[in-house]
Amino acid sequence: MGLMGVHETDPLRRFSQEELRLRTSAKWRAYPPDVLPLWVAEMDVPLAGPVARALTEAIALGDTGYAEGTAYAEALDAFARRRWDGYGVVPEHTAIVPDVMQGIVEVLRLITGPGDTVVVNSPVYPPFYGFVEHMDRRVAEAPLGAGHRIDTGVLEEAFGRAVAGGRRAAYLLCSPHNPTGTVHTAQELTEVARLAEAFGVRVVADEIHAPLVLPGARFVPFLSVPGTDGAFSVMSASKAWHLAGVKAALAVAGPAAAGDLARLPYVVSHGPSHLGVVAHTAALRHGGDWLDTVLAGLDANRRLLGDLLERHVPGVRMVWPEGTYLAWLDCRALGLGDDPAAVFLARGRVALTGGMPFGTGGAGHVRLNFATSPEILTEAVGRMAAALGRSRPSAARPAPA
């Protein structure tokens, strides 16, 4: 089969496993070739046509210098107005940053000092811990509550402790949430803003998965709810359009935080890739149809995964992801200990992300990336079943309606 493969209209079905193993990025090269990788957040898709054309044209022109201008911010503004109930981004209140985590770090440097506390909702994306601690801030957990929703009582207590003694503090919000796929509601985010304002806690929202909200849920930009004038968002097209290798992101300030963002050192703007800015701008401006096709495939895969697990690995409880392409699987009933990912790797040769680095609430869990073909997803669950001594599904079935 040629590199264009089959299923031309479904990017998730474009490449065979043999073709994917020609890739040299982390997902397909970090493990030996007998391991099926469903761990890191890369999608098994080709580039969207408008993105590929923009990059090809830039390379043909030798347009590989330094990033400049507001094209990315203007494209994000247009995309947001189309997709998120008219919410708009003011380009003058943005800054191009190397990627979302580096942007978060730079914003946190503006609004907190060494020894200050950054509150997170565990279980949460592991780099939240590593990057924050590396910059000499303390991480305080406010674990998610029932249904993996924000527990405002727990959050209020964490805010109170964080600002005790007159210290500055920040809240690093993951929205949509990684790894659970929770999409926070307008009511939840409004309550978060109210609490943050009451305690003087500055909010930085990681909204990298914002375009990846699946049917049945609706993304609400944090800066669109009342009381967020002093908050920040960091956004990127990287996750939704498979652009992790061409880095760029935007830090966005609420109206009252624009002065803080203006203090961002000029050298930070040297970090983003110019080709990244070109690619992300093209994705936001012209990649909407491609994204919709991917979202339809992810929705089908979400339902297929739930069906496969129920039939073949019934001891695993899947947290139904409202957004992202990541499934948070509770494996505690299987008796595999705190790190079931190690068991699935050793016995089944399938690579998942272990839950323990996600903090409190992560032990006994794994994160599975379902942004792949139904055939690979079926094989992966088959390997998980085989690792537990159970029968394997023979082929991918259509997702249940």
Side-chain angles (χ1 to χ4, degrees), residues 149 176 181-185 210 212-220 302 320-323:
R149 315 302 306 188
T182 300
V183 176
H184 309 302
T185 66
L212 289 167
V213 171
L214 301 173
R218 182 173 68 90
F219 173 70
V220 178
R302 171 178 63 168
W320 187 256
E322 299 173 310

Side-chain angles (χ1 to χ4, degrees), residues 186 189-194 197 221-229:
L189 295 175
T190 299
E191 181 63 11
V192 164
R194 185 192 67 79
E197 193 170 32
F222 185 67
L223 296 182
S224 73
V225 304
T228 58
D229 283 1

Side-chain angles (χ1 to χ4, degrees), residues 348-368:
R349 308 306 285 162
V350 57
L352 308 172
T353 303
M356 294 182 67
F358 292 83
T360 298
H365 292 70
V366 298
R367 193 190 73 178
L368 182 151

Side-chain angles (χ1 to χ4, degrees), residues 384-398:
M384 293 170 68
L388 302 174
R390 296 170 181 162
S391 61
R392 300 171 56 146
S394 57
R397 297 191 342 173

Side-chain angles (χ1 to χ4, degrees), residues 260-287:
D260 290 315
L261 192 60
R263 295 188 287 109
L264 195 71
Y266 175 71
V267 292
V268 174
S269 68
H270 291 185
S273 160
H274 176 51
L275 289 179
V277 172
V278 167
H280 292 219
T281 300
L284 290 164
R285 283 207 178 278
H286 307 296

Side-chain angles (χ1 to χ4, degrees), residues 40 42 159:
V40 74
E42 297 182 21
F159 283 178

